[in-house]
Amino acid sequence: MIFVTLEHILTHISFSIISIVIIIHLMNLLVYEIEGLRNSSEKGMIATFFSITGFLVIRWISSGHFPLSNLYESLIFLSWSLSIIHIIPYLWNHKNDLSAITAPSAFFTQGFATSGISTEMHQPAILVPALQSQWLMMHVSMMLFSYAALLCGSLLSVAFIVIVFQKKNFLSLRKSFLFGDMEYLNEKGSVFKKTYFLSFRNFYKYQLIQRLDYWSYRVISLGFAFLTIGILSGAVWANEAWGSYWNWDPKETWAFITWTIFAIYLHTRKNSILQDQGTNSAFVASIGFILIWICYFGINLLGIGFHSYGSFQ
């Protein structure tokens, strides 16, 4: 009983802290950035990380196995993975461009885990025979780490696409404005000021685009490495459990499709030189975002195949 109470307390503490972090981010976005508030939000995510860590440890002790046996536990672990991705740039003293993605993602993931799933699934259960293996921790943790990283990288790519297209529209309007109304601006004596202002905004967007491309590429590369390890370890586990490395189970099939899409992204992104080519690779990553949710969540909704242990049923 005490373990259940501690789990309940820790999940509510972590969710409350991350809710405050979201409010701080909104204040910095809508009002103006305050350095003290920004540091508080980063420390809040660190506190969230330790709270979820405490939950996972207690769950591990109470259940007697690593807490990755059902959808509820995997969602909490996914939220924990997102908090790790959030705090890594902070620990490295980098400008945290990931915070706008990781904090809301962890918030919605944990919110759904605590309120969107039946309370019966919140209770720890005995592992089915197929899951009673030392490969459980290796395979499932690697897959969830990869989902967290790939989701973040894909969302950064979506933001990259949006800002690039906004920049293109902005430049076309600027060109029309400068050439169509040049005579009028010369009469008013403000053409240089206007051009300087537009160039400054253009340069700011260019810097933001470069940072989004930088982080999305590196986070997706990390997630792709985790996904590869997860698929390989899953194949070894499948051979031990079912006597075959690959069975074209729905989960396996969609994991392979997801791996292929992000392999295409890395190939196109590595060979990209022009900005339009970078946009093309970002479009590939945005497709990968949808595939991840199909692979992770869609199969759970259907509850079919060998990987139906974490379904809603």
Side-chain angles (χ1 to χ4, degrees), residues 18 20 78 96 114 119 139 142 157 165 212 216 236 259 261:
I18 201 170
I20 296 172
L78 182 65
N96 198 351
T114 54
T119 54
H139 170 63
M142 288 296 101
S157 294
F165 276 95
L212 289 174
S216 63
V236 176
W259 185 91
I261 287 294

Side-chain angles (χ1 to χ4, degrees), residues 163-285:
I163 295 175
V164 164
F165 276 95
Q166 284 184 345
K167 180 174 178 287
K168 287 182 178 180
N169 294 333
F170 174 79
L171 289 176
S172 63
L173 289 174
R174 173 188 171 186
K175 182 177 180 181
S176 174
F177 179 80
L178 289 178
F179 287 97
D181 296 330
M182 184 70 72
E183 183 177 353
Y184 174 79
L185 289 173
N186 280 329
E187 291 175 359
K188 294 296 184 179
S190 60
V191 63
F192 295 110
K193 293 180 181 179
K194 195 69 176 179
T195 304
Y196 176 78
F197 174 72
L198 294 173
S199 298
F200 177 78
R201 290 185 60 186
N202 184 34
F203 179 70
Y204 174 77
K205 284 192 174 183
Y206 174 77
Q207 285 187 318
L208 180 58
I209 288 170
Q210 294 300 309
R211 292 203 306 271
L212 289 174
D213 181 60
Y214 173 88
W215 281 111
S216 63
Y217 175 65
R218 277 151 183 78
V219 175
I220 288 176
S221 298
L222 178 65
F224 183 78
F226 283 136
L227 182 62
T228 304
I229 297 172
I231 291 175
L232 292 176
S233 60
V236 176
W237 187 8
N239 184 59
E240 289 187 0
W242 304 315
S244 175
Y245 288 101
W246 197 265
N247 298 281
W248 293 108
D249 178 71
K251 198 90 165 183
E252 295 175 354
T253 303
W254 282 103
F256 175 73
I257 294 172
T258 304
W259 185 91
T260 303
I261 287 294
F262 283 104
I264 294 172
Y265 164 83
L266 293 175
H267 175 73
T268 55
R269 171 57 179 77
K270 184 178 180 181
N271 296 328
S272 65
I273 300 175
L274 302 177
Q275 183 171 295
D276 288 339
Q277 292 175 319
T279 306
N280 291 336
S281 62
F283 272 115
V284 176

Side-chain angles (χ1 to χ4, degrees), residues 7-311:
E7 289 177 8
H8 186 75
I9 292 173
L10 287 172
T11 52
H12 279 74
I13 288 176
S14 61
F15 187 72
S16 300
I17 293 174
I18 201 170
S19 300
I20 296 172
V21 170
I22 295 296
I23 294 173
I24 292 174
H25 277 294
L26 289 175
M27 290 175 60
N28 284 331
L29 178 64
L30 299 177
V31 187
Y32 57 89
E33 186 170 353
I34 304 174
E35 186 66 23
L37 283 179
R38 189 179 70 83
N39 290 333
S40 298
S41 68
E42 302 297 337
K43 293 176 181 177
M45 287 300 295
I46 295 175
T48 300
F49 164 76
F50 282 112
S51 298
I52 301 176
T53 302
F55 167 85
L56 293 174
V57 171
I58 292 173
R59 187 83 165 193
W60 194 347
I61 295 173
S62 63
S63 64
H65 57 79
F66 196 69
L68 284 175
S69 59
N70 58 30
L71 186 61
Y72 171 72
E73 293 174 350
S74 69
L75 283 169
I76 296 295
F77 191 89
L78 182 65
S79 179
W80 181 71
S81 304
L82 290 166
S83 67
I84 293 178
I85 296 174
H86 181 100
I87 64 179
I88 286 177
Y90 175 75
L91 296 177
W92 286 352
N93 295 319
H94 285 298
K95 182 177 177 60
N96 198 351
D97 296 308
L98 300 177
S99 60
I101 301 295
T102 51
S105 298
F107 172 80
F108 287 114
T109 301
Q110 191 167 352
F112 179 76
T114 54
S115 60
I117 296 180
S118 62
T119 54
E120 288 80 6
M121 192 173 289
H122 291 191
Q123 306 303 321
I126 300 174
L127 289 177
V128 298
L131 294 180
Q132 295 176 7
S133 171
Q134 68 273 16
W135 289 102
L136 172 67
M137 183 190 302
M138 178 68 174
H139 170 63
V140 183
S141 63
M142 288 296 101
M143 294 300 293
L144 290 175
F145 274 130
S146 71
Y147 291 159
L150 293 175
L151 285 172
C152 289
S154 299
L155 287 174
L156 289 172
S157 294
V158 172
F160 173 88
I161 293 171
V162 171
I163 295 175
V164 164
F165 276 95
Q166 284 184 345
K167 180 174 178 287
K168 287 182 178 180
N169 294 333
F170 174 79
L171 289 176
S172 63
L173 289 174
R174 173 188 171 186
K175 182 177 180 181
S176 174
F177 179 80
L178 289 178
F179 287 97
D181 296 330
M182 184 70 72
E183 183 177 353
Y184 174 79
L185 289 173
N186 280 329
E187 291 175 359
K188 294 296 184 179
S190 60
V191 63
F192 295 110
K193 293 180 181 179
K194 195 69 176 179
T195 304
Y196 176 78
F197 174 72
L198 294 173
S199 298
F200 177 78
R201 290 185 60 186
N202 184 34
F203 179 70
Y204 174 77
K205 284 192 174 183
Y206 174 77
Q207 285 187 318
L208 180 58
I209 288 170
Q210 294 300 309
R211 292 203 306 271
L212 289 174
D213 181 60
Y214 173 88
W215 281 111
S216 63
Y217 175 65
R218 277 151 183 78
V219 175
I220 288 176
S221 298
L222 178 65
F224 183 78
F226 283 136
L227 182 62
T228 304
I229 297 172
I231 291 175
L232 292 176
S233 60
V236 176
W237 187 8
N239 184 59
E240 289 187 0
W242 304 315
S244 175
Y245 288 101
W246 197 265
N247 298 281
W248 293 108
D249 178 71
K251 198 90 165 183
E252 295 175 354
T253 303
W254 282 103
F256 175 73
I257 294 172
T258 304
W259 185 91
T260 303
I261 287 294
F262 283 104
I264 294 172
Y265 164 83
L266 293 175
H267 175 73
T268 55
R269 171 57 179 77
K270 184 178 180 181
N271 296 328
S272 65
I273 300 175
L274 302 177
Q275 183 171 295
D276 288 339
Q277 292 175 319
T279 306
N280 291 336
S281 62
F283 272 115
V284 176
S286 64
I287 297 173
F289 175 80
I290 300 173
L291 294 179
I292 294 168
W293 282 114
I294 294 175
C295 181
Y296 172 58
F297 206 67
I299 304 301
N300 293 97
L301 285 173
L302 296 176
I304 58 176
F306 296 127
H307 294 77
S308 60
Y309 314 113
S311 67

